[in-house]
């Protein structure tokens, strides 16, 4: 799933002279990391940097999979249920199942669609 | 801005694992709620990455004529925070097992691999190595050093110009004295003399001989 865009932040000066600009705020990432557990005490300077890239990749993957659901429904607006469907259909996103099923879906989750063969170039 | 405030209406959820408490659906909440909750929302906003940043990223992967609903953006926003917590928890456990106090970039990458996101590892390692390289360069070439070198060079140029106007001095002096005279005789320099070299340094050498 290696796209040219994945690297462009580096080649075109994503890390330009200083350690920025990054797409996501490092201080906020650090705060979220610290909230994840009592035993998270010390975080190296490069951890938020790695996360800013990892989150970017994660957002892109989640959005792409959700958009597939949108297109299958012949719509042009990606809505919350599409995100939920993408999460249900992807084993990798199992840790998000509770999160999306509590987001206002009444009753059962929608039937999972077969997206495991999804590959993006 | 409005999105972040609306998101602040969510009740506090436990840190570990997925949130247990019900999520308040903000889809049909009015603006009137925002003013009441605005002061309480600052802490809640810290739980998520800014929605503007998230929006910018996800717009890159959908066609330009595609649209994303606000609640979809918020859901993705929450998913990212969950992802961070999930990976951090795993990395933190590893550090505890190995009796280390600080989570570093390699721990994050290890946790991401362990949790199944192996595809991310290649770009992440490249990104991290570039970052480390940039950090190393900053240590070798501090900005102060470069600006000092520029200042010294311009002083040298000024001294050469002074001597060009004093041909008598140059011709009668021996070679040894020429070098010392470069720094002397500031009174002979006309005040309107431009600092730039009116001749090449090669021609100056010929005059000395």
């Amino acid at each position: 799933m290696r796209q040219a865009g994945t690297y462009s932040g580096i080649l075109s000066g994503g890390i330009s002279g200083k350690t920025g600009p990054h797409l996501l705020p490092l201080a906020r990432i650090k705060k979220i990391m610290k909230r994840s557990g009592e035993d998270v005490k010390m975080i190296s300077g490069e951890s938020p940097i790695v996360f800013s890239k990892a989150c970017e990749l994660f957002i892109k993957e989640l959005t792409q999979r959700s958009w597939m659901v949108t297109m299958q429904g012949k719509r042009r607006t990606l809505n919350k249920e599409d995100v939920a469907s993408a999460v249900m259909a992807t084993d990798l996103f199992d840790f998000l199942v509770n999160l999306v099923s509590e987001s206002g879906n009444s009753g059962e989750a929608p039937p999972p669609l077969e997206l495991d063969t999804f590959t993006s170039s | 801005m409005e999105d972040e405030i609306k998101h602040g209406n969510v009740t506090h959820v436990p840190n570990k694992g997925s949130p247990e408490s019900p999520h308040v659906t903000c889809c049909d909440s009015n603006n009137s709620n925002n003013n009441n909750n605005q002061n309480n929302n600052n802490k809640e906003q810290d739980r998520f990455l800014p929605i503007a940043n998230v929006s910018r990223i996800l717009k890159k992967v959908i066609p330009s004529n595609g649209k994303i609903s606000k609640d979809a953006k918020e859901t993705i926003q929450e998913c990212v925070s969950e992802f961070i917590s999930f990976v951090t928890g795993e990395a933190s456990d590893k550090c505890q097992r190995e009796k280390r106090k600080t989570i570093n970039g390699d721990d994050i990458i290890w946790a991401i691999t362990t949790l199944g996101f192996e595809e991310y590892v290649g770009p992440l390692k490249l990104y991290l190595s570039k970052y480390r390289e940039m950090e190393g360069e900053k240590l070798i070439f501090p900005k102060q050093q470069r600006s000092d070198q520029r200042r010294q060079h311009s002083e040298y140029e000024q001294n050469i110009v002074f001597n060009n106007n004093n041909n008598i001095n140059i011709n009668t002096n021996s070679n040894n004295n020429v070098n010392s005279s470069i720094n002397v005789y500031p009174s002979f320099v006309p005040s309107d003399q431009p600092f730039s070299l009116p001749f090449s340094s090669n021609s100056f050498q010929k005059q000395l001989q």
Side-chain angles (χ1 to χ4, degrees), chain B residues 53-73:
Chain B
N53 300 52
V54 173
S55 284
R56 224 175 294 142
I57 297 173
L58 52 84
K59 277 183 183 160
K60 289 183 182 179
V61 297
I62 65 168
S64 50
N65 60 347
K67 295 195 191 332
I68 306 183
S69 73
K70 210 168 282 184
D71 55 3
K73 288 185 196 173

Side-chain angles (χ1 to χ4, degrees), chain B residues 150-177:
Chain B
R150 255 181 270 133
R151 192 160 38 86
Q152 286 170 9
H153 183 65
S154 65
E155 280 176 1
Y156 176 66
E157 285 184 18
Q158 291 175 33
N159 291 330
I160 289 176
V161 169
F162 297 162
N163 279 294
N164 185 42
N165 294 326
N166 306 325
N167 285 335
I168 296 175
N169 285 335
I170 291 172
N171 287 338
T172 55
N173 286 340
S174 65
N175 281 341
N176 291 338
N177 289 343

Side-chain angles (χ1 to χ4, degrees), chain A residues 66-67 69-71 74-80 82, chain B residues 62 65-72:
Chain A
S66 306
W67 181 251
V69 180
T70 309
M71 285 204 301
K74 294 194 172 45
R75 287 173 281 113
R76 303 304 284 179
T77 303
L78 198 163
N79 57 32
K80 191 169 56 180
D82 299 333
Chain B
I62 65 168
N65 60 347
K67 295 195 191 332
I68 306 183
S69 73
K70 210 168 282 184
D71 55 3

